[in-house]
Amino acid sequence: MTPEQIRLVQDSFKLVEPMAGQAADLFYERLFTLEPSVRALFVRDLRKQGAMLMQAIGLAVRNLDRPQDIAPVVRQLGQRHVQYGARPEYFDVVGECLLWTLEQGLGDAFNSELRAAWATTYKLLAEQMQLAMQEATTPAGSRAAATTPPDAGSRTAGP
């Protein structure tokens, strides 16, 4: 990511944080509409889940300029998602829902440049999570073969 993309994402997230609960509600409503099968994976209170989602996004966004600091946390999150039943094919729709939610919350401020910056952010985080998921489900003897992350998807990778 470029320093400008990092700045754009960090500045825009400051505008989203005050409405974090609403943003999380919008996100999950959209996710369950586009991919109803994921609803069964959410056994916790969705308000609490939404708060955890926004905290995780906030942590990642605040540390975008220090990827070495957030990579282990993002990878642990990916490993935990295996236990939750998440599958790699969900990442496309999750990214789509994230961008849609940001567009709803930021309105006209969510221009093509900001969309591209967020898409890049999501792609980087999703790739780390997917790699960790792949490693968590690969037998120990064949982990060396899992050196490249699965495709994070074309719907969220570009502007």
Side-chain angles (χ1 to χ4, degrees), residues 53-105:
L53 170 71
M54 298 308 289
Q55 284 179 324
I57 292 172
L59 175 68
V61 165
R62 282 187 294 280
N63 291 286
L64 282 176
D65 55 346
R66 295 182 304 281
Q68 70 282 0
D69 292 346
I70 60 170
V73 175
V74 172
R75 291 175 63 84
Q76 288 173 354
L77 187 60
Q79 290 170 347
R80 283 197 312 267
H81 274 68
V82 169
Q83 297 167 352
Y84 304 148
R87 299 191 317 238
E89 58 267 25
Y90 294 153
F91 280 83
D92 284 347
V93 72
V94 167
E96 184 178 322
C97 291
L98 174 65
L99 295 177
W100 179 86
T101 301
L102 290 164
E103 183 176 20
Q104 302 310 300

Side-chain angles (χ1 to χ4, degrees), residues 4-140:
E4 177 64 11
Q5 287 177 314
I6 292 170
R7 185 192 62 76
L8 285 170
V9 169
Q10 289 175 335
D11 288 350
S12 65
F13 192 70
K14 289 175 187 172
L15 301 173
V16 174
E17 281 183 302
M19 56 181 157
Q22 292 171 303
D25 290 346
L26 280 172
F27 171 84
Y28 285 117
E29 182 179 324
R30 182 75 169 177
L31 179 62
F32 300 151
T33 298
L34 295 181
E35 188 62 56
S37 66
V38 302
R39 180 62 181 99
L41 302 180
F42 293 87
V43 295
R44 291 185 182 181
D45 171 18
L46 271 183
R47 293 278 176 191
K48 186 179 283 189
Q49 184 68 40
M52 291 182 348
L53 170 71
M54 298 308 289
Q55 284 179 324
I57 292 172
L59 175 68
V61 165
R62 282 187 294 280
N63 291 286
L64 282 176
D65 55 346
R66 295 182 304 281
Q68 70 282 0
D69 292 346
I70 60 170
V73 175
V74 172
R75 291 175 63 84
Q76 288 173 354
L77 187 60
Q79 290 170 347
R80 283 197 312 267
H81 274 68
V82 169
Q83 297 167 352
Y84 304 148
R87 299 191 317 238
E89 58 267 25
Y90 294 153
F91 280 83
D92 284 347
V93 72
V94 167
E96 184 178 322
C97 291
L98 174 65
L99 295 177
W100 179 86
T101 301
L102 290 164
E103 183 176 20
Q104 302 310 300
L106 297 171
D108 291 340
F110 198 67
N111 59 29
S112 61
E113 185 179 19
L114 185 54
R115 176 180 288 277
W118 271 100
T120 299
T121 299
Y122 178 75
K123 182 177 186 241
L124 292 172
L125 297 172
E127 285 175 346
Q128 285 296 310
M129 286 183 68
Q130 287 179 297
L131 182 58
M133 288 173 69
Q134 184 180 35
E135 289 172 350
T137 58
T138 302

